[in-house]
Every structure is written in structure tokens, then in C-alpha cells.
Amino acid sequence: MKSVVFLGGGRIASALCAGLRLAGYRAPIIVHGRDRQKLRELERRHGVTAEPDLQRAVAQAGILIIAVRPASVASLLKGIGPIRRPLTAVSLAAGIPLKNLRAHLGPPVRWARAMPSPACRSGRGLTALTFGPNATQRFRTGVKSLFARVGPVLEVPESKFDAFTVTYSCSHGYHALAALAEAGEKVGLDRKTALAAAAHALADGIIAWREGGLSLEDLLHEAATPGGIAAAVMSAMDKRGYRQAVQAGLRAGIVRARANSKS
Ligand SMILES: NC(=O)c1ccc[n+]([C@@H]2O[C@H](COP(=O)([O-])OP(=O)(O)OC[C@H]3O[C@@H](n4cnc5c(N)ncnc54)[C@H](OP(=O)(O)O)[C@@H]3O)[C@@H](O)[C@H]2O)c1
């Protein structure tokens, strides 16, 4: 049986292996990496098979997943050499366009890009996928069905992929949680209580929006009575550039993604 083969056994490969196994995915998963210690850990935790030889790993792939950092993609693909059989390849590398990937490995390799989230570890990871214009339905379905095991899947046109990448990262949640809890401590809470309060504010607020059927405007209206405390807090945050800071963050991410596309 052809396997799912990860090239690169770092953070996102580990999260995907964990999510796939959690979802009951029992087919073989092979991970090619450089660090024997990391590979052993992946074998132990997720029942994958480590394959230190790149060509041998690729030869076993039904789906090949490129999970190295963007700056390492070109040299990794060069090292693979020509592939003479139809192969589905999915790059997770942020910012690297399909045309660059195809320039390294062209047909019969069929390329997709995926942007999963480390939250896929617990089956809650939204994954964005993008395909070239000639991708067949069968190819799309094959890629989608793999990522759908670890959470919802969304198709995003490649022109919007960087914008999606910088917007949806669950790092926003962790970053906001850290900032809000730190602010809670500064106004007098102990760390544990500050974290509990901040986690409730962010996670439960968002679940209420997701599941409650009310619009964001209605929920904001309900939670922040005009003239009340929450309204004063939001207004002070906005005056200090809260929205501009978030927008500047996303723009910086897009600049970084575009730099990746030139690597
Ligand atoms: N982390 C995320 O949340 C996330 C989400 C979506 C997409 N991505 C994308 O996924 C990719 C990997 O990100 P990551 O966070 O998982 O990075 P990471 O933790 O640094 O993992 C990358 C792994 O690739 C290995 N590697 C590098 N060059 C290699 C080569 N030539 N042959 C074999 N293995 C090689 C590295 O090995 P060494 O340890 O020896 O350096 C490392 O274990 C990136 O392109 C990123 O844009 C990441």
C-alpha cells in the first residue's frame, strides 16, 4: 500500500501525524527527516515509520507532503530528482507558489498547497487547500479527504492563500491569550485567575459567536452596554491602535510570505 510520506518531521508534521492517528487513520505514515532523535520520537508517539533515505521515502509515497521550512524546499526538491510516475504532492510551505513547486518537480507530479494548523493535533485544525486550474476532481478529493480527517477543509484561491495564512493562524489565539492574561495580571489578578479569565473571554466568546446564531455586531452590542465597562475597555484599546496593530501584523506576515516565494 502506498503511504502518506512527510518530508520533514518538525512541528506541523508531528501535529498532522498526531491528528491523523487520533482520527483513527491506520494506514502507513512515513516520515523522512534529518534528526534521528526527532524521528524516533515520532515513531514512538504516532506509530509512523522513519525513513532517513530521501529517495526511498519518496518511492513509497501515495501522497507526498512537503513539511520543511520554506527556505529548505528548493534544495529538498532538487535532492529528489526526476519522478516518473503519477504522484500527488502537497506543499505546506508558506508563501511558495505552485508554479515554483512545479518548476522543481513537474508532471507527472500533481501539486496542491495546504495550510494546516497545529490545532489539527486535536482534530480542530482548519486546513486551507489550493489547487492549480487543471486539477482534476479526483485529485482534489484525494487531498481533501486526507486533511478532512483533522478538521474542516476550505478551498482558497492561490491569490488569497497568503492572506488566509496570516489571518487564520492559531498563534493569534495564543498571542491574544498571552496579552490579555498579562494585562489581567497587571491590574491585580494572579496568573492562574488571569489566564482563566482571558481564556473564557476569548474562547467562550468565540464559541458563542460560532454556535449561537447571533451576528458579531449583536454579540458585541450585548456584551458591551453603551457607557459600561466593556465599552470603555474596547474604546480605550481602539484609541491606542488595537485594530491598526492587528492590521500591521497581518501586513508583516504577507511581506514575509512574499519573501518566501522568492526563496
Ligand atoms: N508550524 C506551523 O504551524 C505550520 C502551519 C502550516 C504550515 N507550516 C509550514 O510547514 C513547514 C514546516 O514548518 P514547521 O513549523 O513544522 O518547521 P520545523 O518544526 O522547523 O520542521 C521542519 C523540519 O524539516 C526538517 N528538514 C529541513 N530540511 C530538511 C531536509 N533537507 N531533509 C529532511 N528534513 C529536513 C527539519 O529538520 P532539522 O530539525 O534537522 O532542521 C525539521 O525537522 C514550513 O514550510 C511552514 O511554512 C507550518
Side-chain angles (χ1 to χ4, degrees), residues 77-78 97-107 111:
L77 296 183
K78 271 189 199 120
L98 288 168
K99 71 174 168 41
N100 294 25
L101 300 163
R102 284 195 212 105
H104 287 291
L105 286 182
W111 280 101

Side-chain angles (χ1 to χ4, degrees), residues 168-259:
Y168 100 116
S169 170
C170 55
S171 62
H172 289 304
Y174 307 139
H175 194 197
L177 180 61
L180 188 54
E182 187 183 315
E185 281 185 270
K186 289 213 165 52
V187 295
L189 294 178
D190 63 81
R191 173 95 182 132
K192 193 170 163 214
T193 312
L195 267 171
H200 165 83
L202 294 167
D204 298 348
I206 290 165
I207 288 168
W209 167 74
R210 249 191 198 165
E211 295 176 357
L214 290 176
S215 72
L216 190 52
E217 290 70 27
D218 286 343
L219 288 168
L220 268 169
H221 184 72
E222 180 185 65
T225 311
I229 294 169
V233 169
M234 282 198 303
S235 162
M237 287 165 94
D238 282 343
K239 275 197 193 121
R240 293 299 292 264
Y242 179 73
R243 282 157 199 267
Q244 288 89 329
V246 175
Q247 287 162 25
L250 296 202
R251 283 196 300 272
I254 288 186
V255 168
R256 173 57 62 88
R258 293 203 176 132

